[in-house]
């Protein structure tokens, strides 16, 4: 009768995909099967006699020790999960089935690598969260912050950079820069990063290829383009230091995130453009009547709280209708745009110029040191119309009549102040134009408007 040899138990254990681990009462390895090296990266010889807890991820050590104590008290565990740090520095997710042998005074456990399962689950949840954030975020910096937090849970992203390409100005903007190690570089140094330029100009992924010989603290970088229907509008960049670089799977994940973010950026940009158009004059791009009213209300509130002065100037061009009649509306439009530029050039940084229709402009002067400063700035504006305007092949001269109303002398609310400034402007106009008149009826010299 032919007999069949029985494979020794040790060889059977070494054929298993799951790792068999035996740990003594002091928590030291006394036996591991061959699969231990595949899962954790250490050979059996490297871990026998070593403490089990030293291999556990630092964030999971407390719960691991509590679970081990419960198992040693006679409560077997069949699906405990924790994370270990492999020899190469990567993190592996493990599901354990373990029990205590009182007779042998050891814990016997089976370790199953569920990293791929966990990653798939994390990716699904993360991608859903990114899509939700892209839809709900109030602004782009808030969106990028949420995206950084989400993807940081599934791939190394100690550093995270969002880059937008301003095609009109041909410059890069950095709405979000987060560095987990050391101070964040300024925008100038980021612009000089040729890898960012390669991502945006080439519209392609740029990343470090994984290399098993990398140093434990090597720098790794991954950048993917943010793409609209017609062009590359920016890039998302993640970086970290460690032994392992970014993989193709990491690249695919970040590309999916970039697709969601690109859609959100385009939507936010369209919304911002519509919002801007609703509050600005389409010809001069100055604030319109609605936006000016908002600024005026805020300026009045600040002036009332701080007990300071502010001024409202109404500016009306003298003879603008004749320019339109003689040279046509296209030239008139060019003139209005140049007038807007000259008015802006006379204002302080926190002052606001606006157009309320036709050839009527407004200047809002906040926080005046003295009431007279409002009249000084009005005269500066009037004087700036002295030089002729060079438009196309034409030289056009035009002047302005300006009315000045000061808070709180000439009005304590927006309606009173606007009425006073408008009345003063008409008084300047009726007096012959090309002059500044206060609500009190005097000009820059202190004489009656005439």
């Amino acid at each position: 009768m032919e007999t069949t040899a029985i494979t020794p138990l040790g060889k059977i254990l070494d054929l298993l995909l799951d790792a068999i681990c035996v740990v003594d009462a002091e928590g030291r390895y006394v036996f591991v099967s061959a699969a231990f090296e595949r899962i954790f990266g250490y050979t059996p010889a490297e871990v026998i006699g070593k403490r089990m807890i030293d291999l556990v991820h630092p964030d999971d050590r407390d719960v691991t020790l509590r679970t081990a104590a419960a198992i040693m008290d006679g409560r077997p565990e069949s699906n405990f999960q924790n994370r270990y740090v492999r020899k190469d520095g990567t993190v592996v997710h493990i599901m354990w089935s373990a029990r205590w042998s009182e007779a042998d005074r050891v814990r016997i456990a089976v370790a199953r690598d569920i990293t791929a399962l966990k990653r798939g689950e994390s990716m699904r949840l993360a991608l859903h969260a990114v899509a939700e954030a892209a839809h709900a975020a109030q602004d782009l910096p808030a969106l990028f912050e949420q995206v950084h937090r989400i993807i940081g849970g599934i791939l190394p992203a100690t550093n995270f950079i969002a880059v937008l390409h301003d095609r009109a100005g041909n410059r890069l903007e950095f709405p979000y820069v987060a560095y987990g190690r050391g101070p964040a570089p300024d925008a100038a140094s980021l612009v000089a990063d040729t890898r960012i330029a390669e991502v945006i100009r080439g519209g392609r992924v740029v990343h470090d290829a994984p290399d098993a010989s990398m140093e434990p603290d090597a720098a790794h970088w991954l950048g993917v383009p943010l793409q609209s229907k017609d062009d590359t509008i920016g890039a998302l960049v993640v970086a970290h230091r460690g032994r392992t670089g970014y993989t193709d799977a990491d690249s695919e994940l970040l590309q999916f995130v970039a697709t969601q973010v690109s859609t959100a950026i385009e939507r936010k940009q369209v919304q911002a453009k519509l919002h801007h158009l609703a509050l600005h004059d389409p010809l001069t791009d100055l604030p319109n009547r609605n936006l000016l009213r908002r600024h005026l209300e805020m300026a009045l509130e600040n002036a009332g709280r701080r007990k300071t002065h502010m001024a409202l100037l109404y500016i009306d061009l003298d003879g603008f209708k004749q320019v339109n009649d003689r040279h046509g509306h296209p030239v008139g439009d060019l003139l209005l745009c140049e007038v807007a530029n000259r008015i802006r050039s006379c204002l302080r940084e926190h002052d606001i110029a606006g157009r309320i229709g036709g050839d009527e402009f407004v200047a809002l002067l906040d926080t005046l040191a003295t009431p007279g400063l409002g009249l000084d700035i009005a005269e500066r504006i009037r004087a700036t119309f002295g030089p002729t305007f060079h438009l196309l092949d034409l030289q056009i001269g035009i002047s302005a009549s300006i009315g000045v109303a000061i808070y709180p002398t000439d009005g304590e609310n927006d309606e009173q102040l606007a009425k006073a400034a408008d009345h003063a402007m008409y008084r300047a106009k009726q007096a012959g134009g090309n002059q500044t008149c206060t609500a009190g009826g005097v000009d820059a010299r202190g004489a009656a408007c005439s």
Side-chain angles (χ1 to χ4, degrees):
M1 178 176 172
E2 186 176 344
T3 59
T4 303
I6 299 177
T7 305
L9 179 60
K11 291 185 177 181
I12 294 176
L13 294 179
D14 287 345
L15 292 174
L16 295 176
L17 295 177
D18 296 339
I20 308 298
C21 306
V22 181
V23 177
D24 64 19
E26 285 71 41
R28 299 182 183 278
Y29 290 106
V30 296
F31 171 82
V32 295
S33 64
F36 191 94
E37 182 177 3
R38 179 184 61 81
I39 297 174
F40 299 95
Y42 295 96
T43 65
E46 290 177 303
V47 296
I48 298 301
K50 300 298 176 80
R51 297 196 323 150
M52 168 273 299
I53 200 65
D54 292 341
L55 274 61
V56 176
H57 190 286
D59 293 344
D60 291 352
R61 287 178 181 175
D62 287 344
V63 67
T64 299
L65 289 174
R66 289 196 301 269
T67 304
I71 293 170
M72 293 172 67
D73 281 343
R75 287 173 282 175
E77 178 62 63
S78 60
N79 59 356
F80 172 66
Q81 297 179 19
N82 64 358
R83 292 167 296 173
Y84 274 63
V85 180
R86 285 174 48 89
K87 184 177 180 179
D88 62 8
T90 58
V91 175
V92 60
H93 291 261
I94 304 295
M95 183 168 69
W96 295 93
S97 176
R99 66 181 302 128
W100 172 252
S101 172
E102 183 62 34
D104 300 304
R105 302 290 296 170
V106 294
R107 289 199 312 272
I108 304 167
V110 179
R112 172 163 294 181
D113 183 355
I114 58 170
T115 305
L117 182 64
K118 279 287 187 181
R119 181 179 178 84
E121 179 183 354
S122 297
M123 286 181 61
R124 179 181 61 80
L125 294 174
L127 296 180
H128 176 76
V130 167
E132 190 175 72
H135 179 75
Q138 295 297 313
D139 53 47
L140 292 180
L143 170 61
F144 293 131
E145 183 178 0
Q146 291 182 56
V147 169
H148 183 198
R149 185 171 60 253
I150 293 166
I151 66 173
I154 53 178
L155 59 82
T158 307
N159 303 339
F160 182 81
I161 306 169
V163 190
L164 294 181
H165 181 213
D166 176 11
R167 282 177 286 182
N170 192 28
R171 65 179 185 272
L172 298 181
E173 300 174 350
F174 297 84
Y176 185 84
V177 177
Y179 268 62
R181 299 178 62 171
D186 58 25
S189 64
L190 290 171
V191 171
D193 194 321
T194 57
R195 295 170 297 185
I196 292 177
E198 186 178 353
V199 173
I200 294 176
R201 290 173 184 166
R204 66 184 187 87
V205 177
V206 176
H207 72 98
D208 304 314
D211 184 349
S213 63
M214 286 181 177
E215 295 297 322
D217 201 38
H220 306 287
W221 197 94
L222 169 63
V224 302
L226 293 167
Q227 294 179 314
S228 66
K229 296 177 182 177
D230 305 318
D231 200 3
T232 301
I233 61 174
L236 290 184
V237 175
V238 293
H240 79 108
R241 286 187 175 274
R243 187 183 296 276
T244 58
Y246 290 106
T247 65
D248 290 340
D250 295 332
S251 173
E252 291 175 6
L253 169 63
L254 198 59
Q255 286 180 81
F256 183 90
V257 170
T259 299
Q260 298 291 325
V261 172
S262 297
T263 301
I265 289 173
E266 288 186 290
R267 183 170 60 251
K268 296 295 182 187
Q269 289 176 336
V270 169
Q271 291 173 349
K273 184 176 182 180
L274 292 175
H275 181 72
H276 183 86
L277 290 174
L279 296 173
H280 289 78
D281 171 48
L283 178 63
T284 63
D285 200 39
L286 292 177
N288 62 16
R289 190 182 299 270
N290 292 330
L291 184 55
L292 282 168
R293 182 176 292 276
R294 295 184 189 179
H295 284 299
L296 178 55
E297 290 173 351
M298 288 189 292
L300 285 169
E301 182 181 346
N302 290 336
R305 186 174 62 254
R306 298 172 182 171
K307 305 300 181 183
T308 58
H309 298 281
M310 59 153 293
L312 184 64
L313 313 184
Y314 267 40
I315 307 163
D316 187 87
L317 302 183
D318 301 323
F320 179 73
K321 183 178 184 300
Q322 287 79 0
V323 174
N324 263 345
D325 292 344
R326 183 176 180 182
H327 301 291
H329 288 286
V331 172
D333 288 347
L334 287 175
L335 177 59
L336 292 173
C337 290
E338 287 303 311
V339 165
N341 290 335
R342 291 196 185 184
I343 293 174
R344 271 189 295 232
S345 71
C346 297
L347 301 182
R348 300 167 300 168
E349 184 178 357
H350 57 277
D351 295 333
I352 296 171
R355 181 183 176 214
I356 56 176
D359 60 342
E360 291 186 69
F361 294 82
V362 167
L364 179 60
L365 313 179
D366 193 10
T367 315
L368 297 175
T370 65
L373 181 57
L375 190 59
D376 293 341
I377 294 175
E379 273 294 284
R380 189 188 309 163
I381 293 172
R382 189 182 66 82
T384 197
F385 294 127
T388 57
F389 290 82
H390 300 277
L391 305 172
L392 302 177
D393 295 329
L394 303 171
Q395 292 189 5
I396 297 175
I398 199 165
S399 61
S401 298
I402 304 176
V404 181
I406 305 293
Y407 169 89
T409 307
D410 302 320
E412 296 185 352
N413 58 47
D414 56 343
E415 291 184 5
Q416 292 174 355
L417 211 60
K419 185 176 181 180
D422 189 46
H423 181 73
M425 182 268 292
Y426 274 107
R427 183 176 292 181
K429 181 79 70 177
Q430 291 168 357
N434 192 25
Q435 63 179 287
T436 299
C437 188
T438 68
V442 298
D443 61 18
R445 298 168 297 174
C449 295
S450 60

